[in-house]
């Protein structure tokens, strides 16, 4: 029987990885992810987890090492944040196109400069195109539950792709929550032993990562695109199975009180939990507002998202990263992509907030709601704006 | 990318574009990088075989008559044979095609 206990989310995530009976962890410590790999190294050292813990000299080595162990057929886990993820950058693409089912938890944190250890989504969003599956948890329970789910998805013979499990640094990683912990026996009923489809084996030699000449590179990318798109079905199936087995159901796109709402906020991560409390509060004053949250980010759940915002008038999108000199934040860009050309598509009000640990509180939601209300009342749609910048957004009064 | 003639569709690629067959590099005709090819003047050649020893691609062999013969499927035209030939019997000729 699962035990519910007060535990720091990072430690619960490490316990979940251990309960998945991972074979190999190659990692380098970085705030705010450190407690995860620190705890895993303790579990290995204390003999509670029979795995290789490889303390490498950098994140570039960590991801390279993970590629090696996954290619050898080991269930492989690692974790990182921010600069660490950036240092893994070139190996991220290799892990993805070699179809190595690595699970990596990312405690999302801002990128330097200026150096900042606090939470936003700039680390993961700059890795958006690396070809990994990407999923966002909003609290410690969800992050813990999604560890075995991610191993199941990554290792599914129909998928065979690495997967990145994101959650907000500190806001989720360092918070002590009541978390229902699944033990090894329970997880074993959901996550079978890993049987690699293809691995490095001296008796049956193969080459992984050969050169891809111009005659074949495009086809290699097409095969990768098909793999990521085709993962959607198995992802839904596996999330459903987890829900039926353990009572906590997770969907690719989550909605909260959207049924009667004209204005819907769209965001990812823990911000949505704060927003749920705000929605409950303002609904008492008659404001019909709801939330749509992307849990799954790659593959982008286009159909599920369209269904979730069908008939809505205005979307208020909160991005926690943006491209300087570009078209605003990634969530807003991709939402617009899903809606472009759709009949009666909702109008999109986009803001960037919560950069480098700046709090997103009820006042922030009030501010965004006012912008949406103006558009709902017939006002023009404003361009994207860093709403929390003192001095105002550049070029705006 | 192994033996692929004609070039494969994406559906035919192995998982992760792995090469499942050993020794498949022989199917890569890397000689098509060449911009010039070595030509031997056999009247001057003394059949010493120095060129075959220095060829970094291993694509020079002595033929039945004892003269060096180049495998143009793999010769990249590096001209190391020209540099190493002490009789000066090898010259490079530009590829026309």
């Amino acid at each position: 029987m699962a035990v519910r206990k007060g535990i720091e989310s990072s430690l619960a995530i490490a316990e979940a990885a251990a309960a998945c009976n991972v074979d190999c962890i190659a990692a380098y410590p970085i705030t705010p992810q450190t407690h995860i790999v620190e705890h895993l190294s303790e579990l290995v050292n204390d003999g509670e987890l029979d795995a290789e813990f490889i303390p490498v000299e950098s994140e570039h080595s960590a991801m390279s090492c993970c590629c090696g162990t996954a290619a050898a057929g080991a269930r492989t886990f690692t974790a990182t944040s921010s600069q660490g993820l950036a240092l893994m950058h070139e190996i991220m693409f290799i892990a993805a196109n070699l179809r190595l089912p690595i699970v990596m938890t990312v405690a999302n944190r801002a990128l330097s400069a200026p150096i900042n250890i606090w939470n936003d989504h700039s680390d993961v969003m700059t890795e958006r195109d690396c070809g990994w599956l990407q999923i966002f948890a909003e609290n410690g329970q969800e992050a813990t539950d999604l560890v075995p789910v991610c191993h199941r998805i990554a290792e599914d013979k129909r998928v065979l792709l690495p997967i990145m499990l994101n959650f907000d640094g500190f806001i989720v990683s360092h918070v002590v929550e009541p978390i229902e912990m699944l033990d090894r026996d329970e997880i074993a009923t959901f996550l079978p032993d890993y049987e690699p489809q293809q691995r490095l084996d001296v008796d049956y030699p193969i080459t992984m990562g050969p050169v891809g000449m111009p005659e074949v590179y495009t086809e290699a990318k097409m095969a990768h695109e098909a793999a990521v798109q085709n993962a959607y079905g198995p992802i839904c199936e596996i999330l459903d199975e987890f829900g039926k087995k353990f009572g906590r159901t997770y969907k690719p796109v989550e909605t909260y009180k959207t049924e009667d709402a004209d204005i819907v906020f769209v965001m990812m991560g823990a911000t949505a939990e704060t927003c749920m409390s705000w929605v409950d509060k303002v609904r008492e004053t008659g404001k019909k507002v709801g939330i749509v949250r992307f849990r799954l980010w790659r593959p982008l759940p286009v159909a599920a998202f369209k269904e979730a915002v069908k008939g809505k008038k205005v979307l208020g999108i909160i991005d926690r990263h943006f491209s300087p000199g570009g078209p605003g934040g990634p969530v807003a860009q991709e939402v617009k992509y899903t809606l472009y050309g759709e009949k009666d598509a909702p109008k999109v009000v986009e803001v960037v907030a919560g950069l480098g640990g700046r709090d997103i509180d009820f006042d922030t939601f009030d501010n965004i709601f006012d912008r949406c209300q103006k558009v709902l009342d017939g006002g023009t749609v404003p361009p994207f704006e860093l709403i929390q910048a003192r001095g105002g957004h550049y070029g705006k009064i | 990318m192994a033996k692929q003639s004609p070039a494969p569709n994406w559906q035919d690629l192995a998982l992760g574009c792995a090469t499942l067959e050993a020794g498949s590099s022989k199917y890569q005709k890397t000689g098509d990088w060449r911009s010039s090819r070595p030509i031997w003047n056999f009247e001057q050649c003394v059949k010493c075989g120095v060129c075959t020893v220095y060829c970094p691609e291993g694509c020079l062999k002595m033929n039945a008559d004892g003269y060096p013969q180049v495998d143009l499927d793999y010769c990249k035209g590096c001209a190391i044979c020209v540099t190493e030939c002490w009789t000066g019997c090898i010259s490079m000729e530009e590829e026309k095609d």
Side-chain angles (χ1 to χ4, degrees), chain A residues 97-99 160 197-198 205-208 210-213 215-216 219-220 222-223 226, chain B residues 1 4 7-11 13-22 24 28 30 33:
Chain A
N97 213 283
L98 295 190
R99 309 283 302 277
L160 293 170
Q197 175 158 326
Q198 180 174 280
I206 62 169
T207 303
M208 288 189 185
V211 65
M213 302 293 232
E215 294 77 21
V216 81
E219 285 68 30
M222 188 67 243
Chain B
M1 294 286 119
Q4 281 151 9
N9 288 342
W10 65 266
Q11 295 91 338
L13 295 174
L15 181 70
C17 294
T19 303
L20 306 179
E21 179 188 2
S24 62
Q28 292 282 1
T30 45
W33 303 351

Side-chain angles (χ1 to χ4, degrees), chain A residues 106 108 120-121 123-125 134-139 142-143 146 150 164-168 250-252 267-270 293-298 331:
Chain A
V106 181
N108 299 130
D120 70 22
H121 292 168
D123 55 0
V124 52
M125 286 306 171
Q134 297 174 30
I135 196 162
F136 282 75
E138 73 175 5
N139 57 42
E142 186 180 330
L146 290 181
C150 284
M164 203 192 298
L165 169 53
N166 295 279
F167 44 88
D168 291 311
Y250 301 112
K251 288 175 287 183
M267 63 198 82
M268 309 217 289
R293 174 167 83 88
F294 283 103
R295 176 173 286 115
L296 185 64
W297 181 238
R298 284 292 181 275
V331 180

Side-chain angles (χ1 to χ4, degrees), chain A residues 132 170 211 233:
Chain A
W132 283 48
F170 293 112
V211 65

Side-chain angles (χ1 to χ4, degrees), chain A residues 82-395:
Chain A
S82 182
Q83 309 302 125
L85 184 59
L87 188 51
M88 287 179 178
H89 178 72
E90 66 167 342
I91 316 299
M92 296 292 288
F93 288 69
I94 294 169
N97 213 283
L98 295 190
R99 309 283 302 277
L100 301 170
I102 300 161
V103 173
M104 176 161 69
T105 53
V106 181
N108 299 130
R109 165 189 148 180
L111 284 172
S112 293
I115 191 163
N116 177 300
I117 61 166
W118 294 272
N119 166 236
D120 70 22
H121 292 168
S122 53
D123 55 0
V124 52
M125 286 306 171
T126 42
E127 296 302 324
R128 187 175 57 157
D129 304 336
C130 69
W132 283 48
L133 304 179
Q134 297 174 30
I135 196 162
F136 282 75
E138 73 175 5
N139 57 42
Q141 179 72 63
E142 186 180 330
T144 306
D145 285 344
L146 290 181
V147 172
V149 167
C150 284
H151 277 291
R152 252 301 281 283
I153 293 169
E155 295 165 11
D156 190 299
K157 293 279 196 292
R158 298 165 295 173
V159 179
L160 293 170
L161 282 163
I163 184 164
M164 203 192 298
L165 169 53
N166 295 279
F167 44 88
D168 291 311
F170 293 112
I171 292 169
V172 172
S173 66
H174 282 54
V175 169
V176 175
E177 278 184 42
I179 293 178
E180 200 173 300
M181 306 289 289
L182 296 170
D183 66 29
R184 291 182 193 198
D185 293 339
E186 286 168 312
I187 286 185
T189 66
F190 172 75
L191 179 69
D193 287 343
Y194 174 40
E195 287 173 18
Q197 175 158 326
Q198 180 174 280
R199 66 188 181 94
L200 295 177
D201 181 344
V202 286
D203 293 329
Y204 303 96
I206 62 169
T207 303
M208 288 189 185
V211 65
M213 302 293 232
E215 294 77 21
V216 81
Y217 188 84
T218 303
E219 285 68 30
K221 292 291 140 182
M222 188 67 243
H224 191 172
E225 163 70 1
V228 176
Q229 294 287 5
N230 288 336
Y232 186 73
I235 289 169
C236 295
E237 212 176 274
I238 291 163
L239 286 169
D240 270 358
E241 189 187 324
F242 184 90
K244 287 196 183 102
K245 216 162 191 123
F246 302 116
R248 289 182 292 278
T249 302
Y250 301 112
K251 288 175 287 183
V253 175
E254 210 66 60
T255 58
Y256 185 72
K257 300 193 175 175
T258 54
E259 296 81 8
D260 61 343
D262 291 324
I263 295 172
V264 164
F265 283 9
V266 180
M267 63 198 82
M268 309 217 289
T271 316
E273 277 211 337
T274 318
C275 196
M276 280 153 78
S277 303
W278 173 82
V279 165
D280 291 346
K281 177 173 163 265
V282 297
R283 272 186 168 266
E284 286 170 13
T285 63
K287 289 173 177 165
K288 288 183 178 171
V289 57
I291 306 168
V292 170
R293 174 167 83 88
F294 283 103
R295 176 173 286 115
L296 185 64
W297 181 238
R298 284 292 181 275
L300 188 69
V302 174
F305 179 79
K306 277 186 191 170
E307 186 57 34
V309 299
K310 200 175 174 185
K312 305 304 165 201
K313 300 284 190 292
V314 180
L315 305 184
I317 301 181
I318 306 170
D319 259 299
R320 307 203 53 204
H321 171 64
F322 76 107
S323 173
V331 180
Q333 289 169 39
E334 301 209 6
V335 162
K336 284 179 169 178
Y337 150 76
T338 68
L339 300 175
Y340 187 78
E342 291 285 311
K343 198 164 170 261
D344 302 323
K347 289 180 172 153
V348 174
V349 173
E350 38 179 319
V351 302
V352 174
L355 298 181
R358 185 71 60 90
D359 282 338
I360 297 179
D361 55 17
F362 280 17
D363 290 343
T364 322
F365 296 127
D366 285 337
N367 178 336
I368 300 162
F369 183 83
D370 289 345
R371 289 161 191 268
C372 292
Q373 187 64 50
K374 277 180 194 152
V375 171
L376 187 65
D377 295 340
T380 53
V381 177
F384 100 93
E385 188 173 334
L386 267 73
I387 53 169
Q388 292 169 323
R390 285 184 304 278
H393 191 100
Y394 172 78

